[in-house]
Amino acid sequence: MKSLDQLYDELQSANADSLGYPAAKDFDYAEIERFLNFPINNIGDPFAQGTYRVHTRECEREVVAFFAEATRAPQDDWWGYVTNGGTEGNLYGLYLARELHPDGIVYYSEATHYSVSKNLHFLGMRHIMIRAQENGEIDYDDLLETLKIHRDRPPIIFANIGTTMTEARDDIGRIVEMMDRLAIRERYIHSDAALVGGYAAYLDPRPAWDFADGADSVAISGHKFLGAPIPCGIVIARKHNVQRIARSIDYIGSLDTTITGSRSGFSPLMLWYRLQQLGEAGLRERLGRSLANAGYLVERLTAIGIPAWRNPNAITVVIPRADAAIQQRWQLATAGDISHVLVLPNVSREQIDTFVADVAKSRTEDACKA
Ligand SMILES: *Cc1c(COP(=O)(O)O)cnc(C)c1O
């Protein structure tokens, strides 16, 4: 094993160049480092009392309340907790849906995050994959035709609010309308807003993604748009649904409503601190900067002949599959014939210029070799 100093230097340099994954880096948690001195554990339900007093449930409740407001959750009918990330939030939403509709069928598009099919496998839920459009959004015609065939089973819609590769947003309003027209009353909608949930509430126009639009649960990652050194997330659901599956456990003196037993108490503190520092104004400012810079990146790439594009109001810029050296240096996630760049708030114009110059250079080199 290398020395800690070597490891630190490696991480520092890798971190400086990474542009391809949705992890914001503009954070500073030095002020809360001292809390690492305690075995903090938020075991059990964040809204219940427990016997273990080394916890940060108060922070956790405030974090959940912040996102309950951002997702327009119904007054007095929401519940949630801080998860280990978007994947756990999605697992929770699907678990809840299964308990409420044991004979339901999950519909999700082919652009859905890879972790979801594993979740469906864990839960043993019947599922049908729906085609995606070119931009990554669900194919509404395919969804409609498929729903029509299975009208005897409650649909559980797994909506992508920002697909991983192209940040496409399925329109929950449109899906609700579709189910209304088919007179499908028994149904469930989960909103996977891993990245976009950090700012969807501040977009104009606002995407149809939240509780007021028809979602029954929403999962958001904390380490993506907000930024954190430890993966974390938030899940929110309608409280009356959660109450139907809650169980009281003597051993911890609390309710076993969460997926894992022991839960990080540091992550809720981190998210709470981050929200205190930024506030809604800070989130809006970071979003504005990211959107402007994403537009700038598309412009610059287009100017050198690269057909870059992005979905409306997206901070994800899609480019044709980057060559191996570019993928490696900038750590670009690549799937099939596309790669993407995540223009998070930490990405500066200067870094964009360096990246574009690097892409231009690699194209010239390729042309010379050919
Ligand atoms: C990142 C992502 C996930 C998984 O979230 P983690 O926080 O990495 O667990 C799920 N869905 C989408 C659309 C994502 O982009």
Side-chain angles (χ1 to χ4, degrees), residues 303-314:
I304 61 163
I306 308 242
W309 61 277
R310 63 183 177 125
N311 272 305
N313 269 327

Side-chain angles (χ1 to χ4, degrees), residues 236-364:
I236 304 178
R238 295 180 192 271
K239 188 165 147 192
H240 70 272
N241 284 339
V242 175
Q243 281 168 340
R244 286 172 58 181
I245 66 165
R247 281 189 316 141
S248 177
I249 306 292
D250 269 348
Y251 176 70
I252 56 170
S254 180
L255 292 171
D256 186 26
T257 35
T258 56
I259 295 211
T260 64
S262 284
R263 297 189 304 108
S264 171
F266 192 75
S267 297
L269 173 64
M270 230 163 37
L271 291 174
W272 178 85
Y273 177 77
R274 187 74 169 136
L275 291 172
Q276 288 289 310
Q277 297 282 301
L278 291 172
E280 192 183 309
L283 289 170
R284 283 182 186 275
E285 186 276 322
R286 290 168 78 247
L287 169 63
R289 188 148 32 98
S290 301
L291 288 171
N293 284 341
Y296 175 72
L297 174 58
V298 171
E299 237 169 68
R300 291 293 318 271
L301 287 169
T302 312
I304 61 163
I306 308 242
W309 61 277
R310 63 183 177 125
N311 272 305
N313 269 327
I315 65 171
T316 305
V317 172
V318 185
I319 57 174
R321 190 183 181 93
D323 69 31
I326 297 285
Q327 270 186 49
Q328 183 111 30
R329 167 163 182 201
W330 301 95
Q331 301 153 60
L332 300 190
T334 300
D337 50 10
I338 58 173
S339 301
H340 70 186
V341 174
L342 268 292
V343 187
L344 287 153
N346 54 276
V347 178
S348 63
R349 296 241 162 168
E350 201 179 8
Q351 189 172 30
I352 291 175
D353 291 342
T354 311
F355 171 72
V356 173
D358 205 22
V359 171
K361 188 167 141 249
S362 88
R363 297 226 314 167
T364 326

Side-chain angles (χ1 to χ4, degrees), residues 43 49-55 57 249-254:
I43 191 162
Q49 293 296 325
T51 3
Y52 190 60
R53 286 194 287 121
V54 189
H55 67 79
R57 285 207 195 87
I249 306 292
D250 269 348
Y251 176 70
I252 56 170
S254 180

Side-chain angles (χ1 to χ4, degrees), residues 147 155 157 175-184 187 189:
L147 284 172
I157 308 287
I175 296 171
V176 163
E177 232 171 70
M178 188 184 288
M179 293 192 289
D180 281 347
R181 270 205 308 277
L182 293 172
I184 296 171
R187 63 199 190 199
I189 301 179

Side-chain angles (χ1 to χ4, degrees), residues 139-200:
D139 181 326
Y140 301 96
D141 297 330
D142 192 26
L143 178 62
L144 176 64
E145 291 315 311
T146 316
L147 284 172
K148 276 183 185 165
I149 300 170
H150 303 280
R151 286 175 64 160
D152 56 325
R153 300 274 211 116
I156 296 167
I157 308 287
F158 186 94
N160 292 309
I161 309 304
T163 56
T164 308
M165 278 314 285
T166 67
E167 202 182 321
R169 296 145 194 179
D170 299 342
D171 187 330
I172 288 182
R174 197 163 160 187
I175 296 171
V176 163
E177 232 171 70
M178 188 184 288
M179 293 192 289
D180 281 347
R181 270 205 308 277
L182 293 172
I184 296 171
R185 306 260 179 273
E186 202 187 326
R187 63 199 190 199
Y188 190 97
I189 301 179
H190 175 76
S191 170
D192 175 4
L195 167 71
V196 179
Y199 53 85

